[in-house]
């Protein structure tokens, strides 16, 4: 399968083009690809900054900073820092998610997993939004394992777990 290993990555201000079907995402990992990145700054992106989808797809990052994820024009309700679905996995160590329009993270679908260690989430409103984003949503038999970190200034619920999902959280200040 496809593998990418990188460090010191910057993705800044991606654009949306509905005619071309582009969403404005910073990084997409799909179809069984595997990506490992140390030190990344993903800022001013649209729709979903870090998208990991599909069985066998995986992203592992340390020192990843995702900030100011705005709604896309094709899906104005989006503005997610992270989404993992369809049986994919995402691991973040020593990372931060801030200024997102909708959600810090969505984990959905059987076999989908988000593992976080030392991750900070700040729901302060994204550019152009007057509302703080929600925290972490785990649904449809997804899994969350979050150790050490902080989750602050989110709207609605800090963590929502539903539809047969599992969340293990320890040492996270909310």
């Amino acid at each position: 399968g496809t593998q990418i290993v990188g460090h010191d990555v910057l993705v800044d201000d991606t654009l949306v083009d509905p005619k071309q079907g582009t969403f404005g995402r910073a990084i997409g990992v799909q179809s069984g690809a595997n990506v490992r990145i140390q030190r990344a700054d993903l800022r001013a992106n649209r729709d979903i900054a870090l998208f990991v989808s599909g069985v066998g797809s995986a992203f592992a990052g340390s020192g990843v900073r995702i900030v100011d994820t705005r709604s896309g024009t094709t899906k104005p309700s989006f503005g997610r820092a992270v989404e993992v679905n369809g049986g994919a996995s995402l691991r973040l160590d020593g990372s931060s998610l801030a200024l997102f329009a909708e959600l810090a993270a969505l984990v959905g679908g059987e076999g989908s997993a988000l593992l976080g260690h030392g991750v900070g989430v700040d729901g302060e409103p994204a550019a152009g939004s007057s509302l703080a984003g929600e925290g972490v949503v785990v649904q449809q038999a997804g899994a969350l394992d979050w150790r050490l970190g902080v989750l602050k200034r989110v709207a609605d619920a800090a963590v929502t777990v539903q539809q047969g999902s599992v969340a293990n959280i320890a040492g996270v200040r909310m």
Side-chain angles (χ1 to χ4, degrees), residues 15-67:
L15 302 176
V16 175
D17 185 350
K19 291 178 184 174
Q20 296 294 320
T22 59
F23 297 104
R25 296 175 179 167
I27 296 176
V29 182
Q30 297 172 267
S31 304
N34 285 266
V35 175
R36 289 184 307 165
I37 295 179
Q38 292 182 338
R39 297 176 309 277
D41 196 3
L42 313 179
R43 61 184 181 219
N45 296 287
R46 310 310 188 276
D47 191 47
I48 303 165
L50 177 53
F51 180 69
V52 188
S53 180
V55 174
S57 299
F59 180 94
S62 63
V64 175
R65 182 177 169 261
I66 300 174
V67 63

Side-chain angles (χ1 to χ4, degrees), residues 23-129:
F23 297 104
R25 296 175 179 167
I27 296 176
V29 182
Q30 297 172 267
S31 304
N34 285 266
V35 175
R36 289 184 307 165
I37 295 179
Q38 292 182 338
R39 297 176 309 277
D41 196 3
L42 313 179
R43 61 184 181 219
N45 296 287
R46 310 310 188 276
D47 191 47
I48 303 165
L50 177 53
F51 180 69
V52 188
S53 180
V55 174
S57 299
F59 180 94
S62 63
V64 175
R65 182 177 169 261
I66 300 174
V67 63
D68 196 17
T69 306
R70 305 168 189 173
S71 295
T73 57
T74 57
K75 297 179 182 169
S77 66
F78 280 35
R80 300 173 181 170
V82 167
E83 182 174 325
V84 56
N85 68 41
S89 67
L90 170 63
R91 179 179 178 99
L92 292 172
D93 295 305
S95 298
S96 63
L97 316 175
L99 303 173
F100 40 88
E102 184 194 16
L103 294 170
L106 175 67
V107 184
E110 189 172 348
S112 299
L114 172 58
L115 298 95
H117 187 271
V119 175
V121 173
D122 187 345
E124 183 178 342
S129 176

